[in-house]
Amino acid sequence: MIPAAKPPSSCKQILAINPNAASDHYQIWVDAVGVTDVYCDMDTDGGGWTVLYANPGANTTLSFTSADAANELSASPLSNDAYNLPQAVKAALSTVPSETLVRQSPSVWIRVDHSPVDAAFGALAN
């Protein structure tokens, strides 16, 4: 039996493989977690961004630090749907050197050259 190939390790890698990839749900490989369903923003600032969290402003929305997922395949965080990757996944993604995009709206965002969480956040996931 031929083992299945691992999926790409990031949304940026998916976009590099397919420059026409649309913003949507994809599977990526996250070390220490395995195959993970994520939402990729393939449009903002050149695309290739992995969405960690989106909050539509409702009181019932999970917090960024929540261990629970809110990433149904029908959710579109770029359309203001609630979206949350579990804390353990965010912690695993934060160990990879990357840039971070904090997106407030389609036209308002901040780009930084480090993870949105630190080692203490990762310790919470354990």
Side-chain angles (χ1 to χ4, degrees), residues 79-102:
S79 295
N80 212 31
D81 289 340
Y83 183 85
N84 188 50
L85 288 179
Q87 185 184 33
V89 174
K90 289 181 201 148
L93 287 169
S94 73
T95 64
V96 179
S98 66
E99 291 182 316
T100 301
L101 184 72
V102 179

Side-chain angles (χ1 to χ4, degrees), residues 7-9 15-16 20 31-32 47 59 69 71-72 79 83 91 93 98-99 101 109 112 117 119-121 123 125:
S9 60
L15 191 60
N20 296 318
D31 288 338
N59 289 338
N71 57 347
E72 295 81 19
S79 295
Y83 183 85
L93 287 169
S98 66
E99 291 182 316
L101 184 72
W109 44 268
V112 294
V117 298
F121 182 85

Side-chain angles (χ1 to χ4, degrees), residues 12 41-53 64 78 98-116:
K12 188 172 282 301
D41 175 352
M42 300 302 200
D43 300 308
T44 303
D45 193 34
W49 302 98
T50 304
V51 177
L52 304 181
Y53 180 77
F64 181 82
L78 303 182
S98 66
E99 291 182 316
T100 301
L101 184 72
V102 179
R103 187 175 185 268
Q104 183 176 357
S105 72
S107 61
V108 178
W109 44 268
I110 301 169
R111 186 173 171 172
V112 294
D113 62 356
H114 60 276
S115 171

Side-chain angles (χ1 to χ4, degrees), residues 1 11 13 33 63 66 69 97:
M1 184 161 101
C11 293
Q13 191 175 44
V33 175
S63 71
S66 175

Side-chain angles (χ1 to χ4, degrees), residues 25-26 36-39 51-53 62 68-77 81-86 89:
H25 293 268
Y26 292 89
T36 303
D37 291 317
V38 298
Y39 192 92
V51 177
L52 304 181
Y53 180 77
L62 295 170
D68 297 326
N71 57 347
E72 295 81 19
L73 292 179
S74 61
S76 175
D81 289 340
Y83 183 85
N84 188 50
L85 288 179
V89 174

